[in-house]
């Protein structure tokens, strides 16, 4: 499931933003005002309506290895959707007023406005919601890239792990559209039902013993495994592959990548399909393909949560209210791999420093620090519990 944060516009010369001063848990994110950006040459200024809360964003905030880089302090957020407010030199004025989604280049998305390069803009069709298209921006292109790399054939049998995450539901739908029979595996009854509702032939809970036997009973051996979990789940799924099958790993919700050796794959006659980093041109093609599928009604993202950036300020620390899992994640800074709060992997704790005293805004003003803490802590925690993880 994808997560998006709704951002209300205020019309001020300064803007509201969420800043990251130091890497760590959600408490490192603070609300403050920031200078209003201006569109430079070849850029457009976006009035941000939605900001994506993606797996890569949580990795960046934690200071973990990942695709995003920026110098601190910074305004995080790599994906935004909104309306073009103005354009810089060399950009056609016809873009003004158009609804768009785009990446920001790694930072700047958690704010009311963002200046971005026009080469990365994607126009949003009138009949599609901004939030839905934004949810497809990263996960949609990833799913499209995976399906093409797998070279799915009609009638093949496919297992999708993490089938209720960000990429997983899209893989279920795209594999079906390609004529494949889909088995879905997810962690927990609610997520299994979600995967079943997307049309999977069989949906199983891989936290339960014997889940691979249920898949084999329903569809037999499989031709393709899309591995979004890694670890023991990936090894179990590997055992379901027929000779000549393909294994494509795209995630590590368990906290580790699939540990399938080249020798083990060769002995089984299984091909581990590598996923090369796409070029900028390929990235655009994959993204446009996902949007075209959405336009045709064959692909829809599952948005797990929407978080409005509004509400009444409160001075009560988020760690003192809410359910136990929220308090625990606030304390330890739950990260993307920490799906089941009851068994947070001990090896991940070293990446999460103990929270300091409540953070302060950089310059004062903006929405209250406590409110931002509550919003962002919940958003990032739920990325793990209901989002890309499983």
């Amino acid at each position: 499931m994808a997560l998006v944060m709704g951002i209300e516009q205020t019309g001020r010369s300064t803007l509201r933003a969420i800043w990251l001063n130091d890497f760590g848990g959600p408490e490192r994110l603070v609300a403050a005002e920031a200078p209003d950006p201006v569109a430079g040459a070849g850029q457009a200024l976006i009035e941000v309506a939605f900001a994506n809360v993606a797996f890569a964003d949580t990795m960046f905030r934690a200071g973990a290895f990942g695709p995003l880089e920026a110098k601190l302090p910074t305004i995080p957020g790599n994906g935004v959707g909104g309306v073009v407010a103005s354009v810089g030199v060399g950009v056609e004025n016809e873009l003004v007023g158009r609804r768009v989604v785009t990446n920001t280049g790694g930072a700047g998305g958690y704010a009311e406005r963002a200046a971005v390069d026009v080469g990365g803009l994607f126009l949003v069709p009138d009949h599609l919601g901004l939030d839905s298209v934004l949810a497809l921006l990263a996960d949609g292109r990833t799913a499209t890239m995976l399906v093409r790399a797998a070279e799915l054939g009609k009638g093949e049998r496919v297992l999708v792990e993490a089938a209720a995450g960000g990429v997983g539901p899209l893989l279920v739908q795209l594999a079906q559209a390609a004529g494949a029979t889909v088995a879905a595996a997810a962690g927990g009854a609610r997520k299994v039902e979600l995967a079943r509702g997307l049309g999977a032939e069989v949906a199983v809970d891989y936290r339960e013993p014997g889940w691979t036997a249920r898949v084999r009973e329903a569809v037999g051996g499989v031709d393709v495994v899309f591995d979004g979990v890694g670890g023991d789940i990936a090894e179990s799924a590997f055992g379901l592959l027929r000779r000549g099958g393909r294994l494509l790993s795209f995630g590590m919700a368990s906290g580790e990548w699939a540990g399938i050796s080249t020798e083990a794959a060769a002995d089984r006659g299984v091909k581990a399909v590598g996923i090369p980093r796409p070029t900028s041109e390929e990235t655009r093609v994959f993204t446009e393909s996902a949007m075209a599928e959405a336009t045709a009604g064959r692909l829809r993202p599952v948005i797990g949560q929407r978080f409005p950036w509004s509400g009444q300020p409160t001075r009560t620390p988020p760690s003192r209210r809410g359910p136990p899992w929220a308090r625990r994640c606030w304390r330890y800074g739950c990260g993307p791999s920490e799906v089941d709060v009851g068994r947070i992997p001990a090896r991940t704790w070293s990446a999460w420093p103990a929270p300091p005293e409540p953070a302060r805004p950089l310059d004062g003003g903006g929405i209250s620090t406590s409110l931002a803490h509550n919003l962002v802590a919940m958003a990032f925690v739920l990325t793990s519990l209901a989002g890309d993880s499983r």
Side-chain angles (χ1 to χ4, degrees):
M1 285 178 262
L3 297 173
V4 293
M5 188 190 315
I7 297 180
E8 298 176 353
Q9 298 297 322
T10 61
R12 298 178 296 182
S13 58
T14 56
L15 56 81
R16 297 181 301 177
I18 293 177
W19 288 84
L20 179 67
N21 293 308
D22 300 289
F23 294 119
E27 75 284 347
R28 303 292 189 180
L29 293 156
V30 296
E33 291 186 346
D36 212 346
V38 176
Q43 289 190 320
L45 183 67
I46 310 300
E47 294 279 357
V48 178
F50 296 98
N52 205 4
V53 182
F55 184 92
D57 294 309
T58 64
M59 295 176 68
F60 172 74
R61 184 258 295 158
F65 175 79
L68 304 181
E69 295 181 3
K71 293 182 179 180
L72 300 183
T74 190
I75 299 170
N78 187 46
V80 297
V83 176
V84 177
S86 62
V87 295
V89 175
V91 182
E92 296 292 335
N93 286 327
E94 285 77 5
L95 272 177
V96 175
R98 298 297 299 272
R99 298 191 311 153
V100 297
V101 296
T102 185
N103 291 121
T104 62
Y110 293 169
E112 293 177 290
R113 289 174 286 281
V116 299
D117 293 337
V118 294
L121 296 180
F122 294 90
L123 299 179
V124 176
D126 291 339
H127 65 285
L128 293 180
L130 264 175
D131 52 352
S132 294
V133 178
L134 178 59
L136 286 174
L137 185 61
D139 292 339
R141 65 175 174 240
T142 299
T144 302
M145 178 175 62
L146 287 164
V147 167
R148 293 192 182 184
E151 298 181 337
L152 288 183
K154 188 174 182 179
E156 288 197 302
R157 299 168 186 182
V158 174
L159 172 65
V160 177
E161 300 170 19
V167 176
L170 305 178
L171 286 172
V172 171
Q173 296 171 73
L174 290 173
Q176 283 184 310
T181 297
V182 180
R190 181 175 63 87
K191 295 178 182 179
V192 169
E193 283 304 311
L194 187 152
R196 185 177 290 115
L198 291 171
E201 183 78 13
V202 60
V204 300
D205 186 344
Y206 49 47
R207 295 178 182 177
E208 295 181 355
W211 69 269
T212 54
R214 290 187 57 201
V215 172
R216 191 177 295 279
E217 180 181 357
V219 301
V222 299
D223 302 289
V224 175
V225 168
F226 291 114
D227 167 40
V229 180
D232 293 340
I233 300 300
E235 291 190 25
S236 297
F238 174 71
L240 288 168
L241 279 165
R242 297 172 169 179
R243 180 164 292 276
R246 289 95 75 197
L247 172 68
L248 296 90
S249 292
F250 67 92
M252 47 179 289
S254 65
E256 56 186 351
W257 289 103
I260 311 299
S261 68
T262 304
E263 293 77 12
D267 288 344
R268 291 278 314 283
V270 169
K271 180 181 179 182
V273 180
I275 311 297
R277 187 180 183 89
T279 65
S280 57
E281 292 79 9
E282 289 171 332
T283 295
R284 174 163 283 276
V285 169
F286 292 139
T287 305
E288 290 175 342
S289 176
M291 291 176 63
E293 291 296 298
T295 299
R298 292 187 293 267
L299 188 65
R300 64 176 180 86
V302 177
I303 298 177
Q305 296 285 331
R306 293 176 175 85
F307 300 95
W309 192 354
S310 61
Q312 294 299 316
T314 173
R315 300 303 302 174
T316 307
S319 55
R320 301 297 179 88
R321 66 172 182 275
W325 61 260
R327 295 196 295 270
R328 183 171 184 179
C329 285
W330 174 266
R331 180 179 180 185
Y332 293 111
C334 294
S337 67
E338 296 156 3
V339 181
D340 186 341
V341 178
R343 51 185 181 88
I344 295 176
R347 62 180 174 278
T348 65
W349 288 12
S350 62
W352 304 88
E357 292 300 312
R360 296 184 175 87
L362 295 181
D363 300 306
I367 62 174
S368 76
T369 304
S370 325
L371 177 61
H373 281 169
N374 183 43
L375 167 68
V376 180
M378 294 294 288
F380 279 87
V381 166
L382 285 172
T383 301
S384 298
L385 296 179
D388 284 79
S389 301
R390 296 196 192 193

